C-alpha cells in the first residue's frame, strides 16, 4: 500500500509539472492571410487610411497581412480585375468604362465623398471660367473624356472647344508645364492645389462640380473584383473593416495620420503631406453618414453624362458597379 501511495504522488507531481509547462507555453498566433492592395499612383494623402490601417495593426486585427504596392507598368485597374492584386485604388470614371466592356471590377468604398478636382491655372493667365479657355492651351493625358468635359463646361458659356488647343503633357510636373508650354491643367485641389499654396503660387480653379451635378462623381475609390466578392466575402469584409478604421483615424487625427504616411514614404514633402492631410480630413466622409458610403444616384448621373456625350458605348448597370455591402455599420 505504501508503495502504491508513493507511485500515486509521483504521478501527480509529473502531471502538475506537465500542466505548468503547458500553461507557460505561448499559444501559436493565428496565421495571417496575405493580401495585396495596389495604389493608383505614387503614395499620397488619398491613400493615408491604408497606411494607417497597416501601421496601427488594424489589418492584423482582422487576420490580414496586407502588402501595399505601386502599379508599375500595369495599371491598377488591370491588376485588380485580373486578380493579380486583391484590392486597389481606382476611380468611378474608369470603373464605369471598364464595366461596359465586361471587366469585373467593383467599387467597395468612396475614399472621398465629392469630386475635388478642377481645371487649374496661374492667376496671371486670367482663366476664371470656362469661357476663358478660348485661345488657351490645355495640358492633359489624352483621354477622350477630357475633351468632352471641357466641351460641356464651355458650352455652358457659349464657348467653342475647337478654339482651345489641347496637348498631351504626359507626366510633366504641373508647375513646370504652366511656366513652359501650357496655360492650365486638371488637378486635385487636395494635393497640387495645396502644393501651390505652399509655394506661394496663386491659382484660379474651375471646379467641375460648379458646372454640373453629374460631374460630382467618386474619385478615388477602393475596388476589388467580382471573383473576390463571390469567393472570399469574409476577406473583403475584413479588409474594409480595417480600411474604414484607418480612414476614420485619419479624419480624427490628421497630424498623426500624416506622420504615419511620412514614416512609410520618407521621400514625400513633409509640409505638403501635413497640409494636404489636414484639408482632406474634412473631405473623406464629408456629408455622408459613414466613411466610404456610395449612392446609386451618383453612379447613374455620371453614366448618364457619359451617354449624353457619346462616351459610353455598351450597357452599363450601375447597381453592379459598386456596393456598400462590406462597409462596417
Amino acid at each position: 500500500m505504501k508503495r502504491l501511495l508513493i507511485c500515486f504522488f509521483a504521478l501527480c507531481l509529473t502531471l502538475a509539472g506537465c500542466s505548468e509547462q503547458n500553461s507557460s507555453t505561448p499559444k501559436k498566433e493565428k496565421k495571417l492571410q496575405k493580401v495585396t492592395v495596389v495604389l493608383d499612383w505614387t503614395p499620397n494623402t488619398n491613400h493615408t487610411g491604408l497606411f494607417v490601417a497597416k501601421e496601427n495593426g488594424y489589418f492584423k486585427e482582422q487576420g490580414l497581412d496586407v502588402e501595399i504596392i505601386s502599379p508599375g507598368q500595369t495599371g491598377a485597374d488591370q491588376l485588380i480585375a485580373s486578380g493579380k492584386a486583391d484590392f486597389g485604388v481606382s476611380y468611378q470614371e474608369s470603373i464605369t468604362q471598364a464595366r461596359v466592356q465586361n471587366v469585373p471590377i467593383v467599387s467597395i468604398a468612396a475614399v472621398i465623398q465629392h469630386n475635388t478636382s478642377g481645371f487649374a491655372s496661374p492667376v496671371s493667365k486670367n482663366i476664371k471660367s470656362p469661357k476663358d479657355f478660348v485661345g488657351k492651351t490645355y495640358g492633359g493625358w489624352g483621354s477622350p473624356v477630357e475633351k468632352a468635359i471641357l466641351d460641356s463646361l464651355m458650352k455652358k458659356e457659349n464657348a467653342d472647344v475647337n478654339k482651345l488647343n489641347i496637348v498631351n503633357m504626359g507626366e510633366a510636373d504641373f508647375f513646370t508645364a504652366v511656366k513652359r508650354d501650357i496655360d492650365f491643367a486638371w488637378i486635385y485641389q487636395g494635393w497640387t492645389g495645396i502644393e501651390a499654396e505652399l509655394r506661394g503660387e496663386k491659382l484660379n480653379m474651375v471646379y467641375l462640380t460648379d458646372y454640373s451635378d453629374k460631374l460630382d462623381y467618386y474619385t478615388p475609390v477602393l475596388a476589388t473584383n467580382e471573383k473576390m466578392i463571390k469567393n472570399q466575402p469574409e476577406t473583403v469584409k475584413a479588409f474594409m473593416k480595417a480600411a474604414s478604421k484607418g480612414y476614420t483615424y485619419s479624419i480624427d487625427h490628421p497630424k498623426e495620420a500624416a506622420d504615419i504616411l511620412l514614416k512609410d514614404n520618407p521621400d514625400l514633402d513633409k509640409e505638403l503631406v501635413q497640409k494636404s492631410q489636414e484639408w482632406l480630413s474634412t473631405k473623406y466622409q464629408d456629408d455622408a453618414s459613414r466613411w466610404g458610403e456610395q449612392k446609386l444616384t451618383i453612379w447613374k448621373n455620371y453614366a448618364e453624362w457619359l451617354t449624353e456625350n457619346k462616351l459610353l458605348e455598351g450597357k452599363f448597370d450601375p447597381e453592379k458597379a459598386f456596393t456598400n455591402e462590406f462597409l462596417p455599420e
Side-chain angles (χ1 to χ4, degrees):
M1 177 64 71
K2 185 175 180 181
R3 188 175 177 183
L4 285 171
L5 285 172
I6 291 170
C7 290
F8 174 75
F9 284 121
L11 178 62
C12 287
L13 288 170
T14 301
L15 291 172
C18 290
S19 177
E20 185 177 342
Q21 185 179 8
N22 288 338
S23 65
S24 64
T25 302
K27 291 182 179 179
K28 287 185 178 180
E29 287 189 14
K30 185 179 177 182
K31 189 175 180 180
L32 299 177
Q33 180 183 353
K34 290 189 175 184
V35 298
T36 53
V37 53
V38 59
L39 304 182
D40 57 322
W41 197 245
T42 53
N44 57 65
T45 46
N46 282 343
H47 313 134
T48 306
L50 299 172
F51 286 96
V52 167
K54 186 178 175 81
E55 176 67 23
N56 286 0
Y58 302 153
F59 285 129
K60 191 174 181 180
E61 286 173 4
Q62 297 301 316
L64 302 177
D65 176 11
V66 173
E67 180 185 8
I68 301 173
I69 60 176
S70 296
Q73 293 297 317
T74 306
D77 283 359
Q78 291 173 274
L79 293 173
I80 300 163
S82 65
K84 291 181 180 178
D86 301 302
F87 303 96
V89 180
S90 183
Y91 310 88
Q92 182 175 337
E93 309 104 283
S94 60
I95 290 178
T96 301
Q97 294 286 356
R99 295 292 311 184
V100 298
Q101 297 171 35
N102 298 315
V103 178
I105 188 170
V106 181
S107 174
I108 51 178
V111 174
I112 301 171
Q113 269 301 307
H114 295 284
N115 187 351
T116 63
S117 72
F119 296 108
S121 59
V123 168
S124 60
K125 304 284 187 179
N126 200 33
I127 301 173
K128 297 178 181 179
S129 73
K131 70 176 183 295
D132 298 324
F133 294 167
V134 172
K136 300 296 193 298
T137 298
Y138 166 74
W141 61 91
S143 167
V145 171
E146 291 175 279
K147 185 173 182 179
I149 287 180
L150 287 162
D151 184 31
S152 68
L153 267 57
M154 292 177 75
K155 279 179 178 175
K156 297 260 184 192
E157 299 189 341
N158 298 315
D160 185 357
V161 73
N162 293 313
K163 294 181 180 179
L164 166 66
N165 183 32
I166 300 176
V167 299
N168 193 333
M169 62 183 281
E171 296 181 7
D173 172 73
F174 169 78
F175 299 99
T176 302
V178 291
K179 287 180 174 67
R180 188 182 61 199
D181 48 20
I182 69 166
D183 296 305
F184 68 106
W186 197 348
I187 71 165
Y188 283 99
Q189 173 60 27
W191 189 257
T192 309
I194 298 296
E195 185 177 0
E197 291 177 15
L198 294 173
R199 286 168 171 252
E201 298 189 26
K202 294 183 178 180
L203 300 181
N204 284 328
M205 281 288 290
V206 176
Y207 290 101
L208 275 63
T209 52
D210 287 344
Y211 293 88
S212 175
D213 291 340
K214 291 184 178 182
L215 294 177
D216 189 13
Y217 48 78
Y218 299 119
T219 177
V221 299
L222 295 184
T224 188
N225 59 66
E226 290 180 354
K227 188 176 180 181
M228 194 79 181
I229 288 173
K230 181 180 179 182
N231 297 338
Q232 299 187 58
E234 290 305 314
T235 301
V236 181
K237 187 175 181 179
F239 177 84
M240 283 311 307
K241 188 170 183 179
S244 176
K245 195 171 180 180
Y247 278 99
T248 301
Y249 179 94
S250 302
I251 292 168
D252 297 334
H253 308 281
K255 183 183 181 302
E256 293 82 357
D259 288 342
I260 289 171
L261 180 61
L262 287 163
K263 179 182 175 183
D264 279 279
N265 305 277
D267 291 337
L268 293 176
D269 182 284
K270 183 178 180 179
E271 190 176 12
L272 173 57
V273 169
Q274 290 175 336
K275 289 290 185 182
S276 173
Q277 193 62 56
E278 182 181 356
W279 190 84
L280 272 179
S281 65
T282 64
K283 308 297 180 185
Y284 287 133
Q285 182 173 337
D286 208 302
D287 54 0
S289 60
R290 55 181 171 171
W291 174 83
E293 187 82 26
Q294 300 175 81
K295 296 177 181 177
L296 180 60
T297 52
I298 301 296
W299 282 86
K300 282 183 175 179
N301 283 345
Y302 182 63
E304 286 174 5
W305 183 90
L306 288 173
T307 301
E308 289 165 7
N309 287 274
K310 298 179 174 57
L311 291 168
L312 198 61
E313 296 180 4
K315 186 178 180 182
F316 175 70
D317 186 347
E319 293 187 14
K320 290 184 178 179
F322 81 99
T323 180
N324 291 316
E325 177 186 354
F326 301 102
L327 292 174
E329 294 297 331

